[in-house]
Amino acid sequence: MVRWVPAALTAEEIRAANTRYHDGAAQEYDFKWGIDFGALGRGQVIAKLHKALGHAPAHYARSLEIGAGTGYFTLNMLGAGLIEQATCGDISSGMLATLRANARRLGLEVQTARVDAERLPFPDASFDLVFGHAVLHHIPDLERGFAEFARVLAPGGTVLFAGEPSRYGDRLSALPKRLAAAAAPLWRRAVRAQAAAPAHACGTHAALERLVDVHAFAPGELRRAALGAGLHDVRVSGEELLANWFGWANRTLEASAEPDEVPWLWRQYAHRGYMLLQALDRSVLEARLPAGVFYNLMLSAHKPTGVLSAAAPRSAAGAATAAGGTCAERSAARTGPAGETPTAGRSSRR
């Protein structure tokens, strides 16, 4: 695996940077990434699950989301009736606070726990599904993380991760970003938007962004990480190529301007264009091109039946101590439905 962060950083420093960055980003995270909890969001999540698994997702009695963020995957899966009991873990208390607020607004019940993915405070075989979206590339010790995922997974259960950076796909995406950055002054003039003030580009957490992405993957590396944890039926696939190029070009343009001055018509054009190209990727390219050329990688695997734990058994108390003594916080709220409008050209990697 390729490490993106400076080699001098320790694993603890990477975890601390991830915590501070995501705490700072939590309040505006859903708007920035166009996260939707209505029919559009549910459709997107179900489509990703289907692609990662190679078939329609099942119903899962007990789920654990690693790096749950503001709840994009878990809350949409709950809304779709795919999960019965949901636990959301994240290293960032700020993200979990936003997730709980989203759950209250949607009238959904979840448990949240501030946890380190490499030291999960849960007993062996606690969950039927362990999953995440755009989280593996933040974990310093991926081998240890997968060992924990397998340990807390029940025999016959499923591990699924989506939105992970492809090493080659990420390199390909650099070109539209550079072209859009060069064209940004002309674009702002055309849409009559002022350049973004320094505060928008350099918030208190923005300086940490370059420190939180630890890995970029080749498909074989993800496959070996899953097999090394004792998981079977490993499947690695890719998604988004044209949609990614289009989306990142538009996001680069938008980021150069004051957010309130980006025209509504532009946002509609960018969003609809992204969705159209995403459908083209899905129907034409994703089944024909190697997984490694796409921007995102997806992995699914299963724990063999009859295997209690693929890693050395650890007591729940010991794991909780290693994770800093955090405990689950229940959020059960009943409010009306929500349906945020996606921002233009959203990438599926958060």
Side-chain angles (χ1 to χ4, degrees):
M1 286 164 284
V2 172
R3 289 176 65 92
W4 289 350
V5 297
L9 289 184
T10 67
E12 287 304 320
E13 287 170 333
I14 292 169
R15 295 185 193 102
N18 265 290
T19 301
R20 294 197 304 273
Y21 171 78
H22 288 96
D23 281 349
Q27 189 171 0
E28 297 181 356
Y29 198 80
D30 289 348
F31 175 79
K32 175 181 178 181
W33 293 107
I35 291 177
D36 180 78
F37 296 105
L40 176 64
R42 288 195 297 273
Q44 289 271 324
V45 168
I46 292 172
K48 291 177 186 299
L49 295 172
H50 197 145
K51 283 191 286 187
L53 292 166
H55 56 77
H59 178 270
Y60 301 97
R62 305 166 300 167
S63 72
L64 169 65
E65 183 171 7
I66 305 295
T70 63
Y72 173 49
F73 258 51
T74 287
L75 297 182
N76 275 308
M77 291 175 71
L78 280 169
L82 297 177
I83 298 173
E84 186 174 339
Q85 297 177 359
T87 300
C88 293
D90 202 291
I91 201 169
S92 164
S93 57
M95 285 289 180
L96 292 176
T98 301
L99 188 156
R100 290 191 293 271
N102 286 336
R104 285 193 295 271
R105 186 170 65 254
L106 294 165
L108 298 172
E109 183 175 342
V110 299
Q111 288 187 328
T112 63
R114 185 177 180 274
V115 298
D116 177 353
E118 299 156 87
R119 304 176 182 87
L120 296 176
F122 307 109
D124 296 356
S126 295
F127 303 99
D128 305 297
L129 172 68
V130 176
F131 70 106
H133 180 252
V135 63
L136 295 181
H137 64 286
H138 294 313
I139 299 175
D141 189 340
L142 200 65
E143 180 180 355
R144 185 172 179 178
F146 265 93
E148 281 291 89
F149 307 155
R151 180 183 66 79
V152 301
L153 189 66
T158 299
V159 166
L160 185 151
F161 288 94
E164 296 303 331
S166 159
R167 183 188 309 166
Y168 305 111
D170 198 72
R171 290 174 182 171
L172 290 173
S173 72
L175 178 59
K177 293 178 188 179
R178 287 197 298 266
L179 293 175
L186 292 176
W187 174 81
R188 291 195 302 269
R189 189 179 306 168
V191 300
R192 298 181 180 179
Q194 295 182 1
H200 291 301
C202 301
T204 56
H205 64 280
L208 298 169
E209 190 164 7
R210 67 183 182 86
L211 305 180
V212 300
D213 293 333
V214 184
H215 307 291
F217 302 103
E221 292 166 339
L222 284 180
R223 182 182 303 277
R224 286 191 292 273
L227 290 172
L231 300 171
H232 288 193
D233 304 323
V234 180
R235 185 176 190 272
V236 179
S237 54
E239 69 164 356
E240 293 195 6
L241 183 61
L242 300 179
N244 166 253
W245 295 346
F246 181 83
W248 272 117
N250 291 330
R251 284 189 57 79
T252 301
L253 293 174
E254 293 173 13
S256 76
E258 283 292 320
D260 293 340
E261 296 187 12
V262 177
W264 180 84
L265 285 176
W266 167 268
R267 293 187 182 276
Q268 290 297 306
Y269 146 78
H271 172 63
R272 290 174 182 173
Y274 173 82
M275 297 300 293
L276 178 63
L277 290 174
Q278 188 184 66
L280 182 62
D281 284 337
R282 182 169 55 247
S283 61
V284 178
L285 299 181
E286 290 172 3
R288 292 172 171 82
L289 296 178
V293 305
F294 291 94
Y295 183 62
N296 290 317
L297 294 175
M298 319 176 85
L299 175 144
S300 65
H302 297 89
K303 184 171 180 176
T305 56
V307 177
L308 180 61
S309 178
R314 300 169 62 199
S315 68
T321 301
T326 58
C327 61
E329 305 161 318
R330 178 169 293 276
S331 170
R334 296 288 182 267
T335 55
E340 287 79 1
T341 301
T343 54
R346 174 185 175 274
S347 169
S348 65
R349 184 188 311 161
R350 64 175 179 84

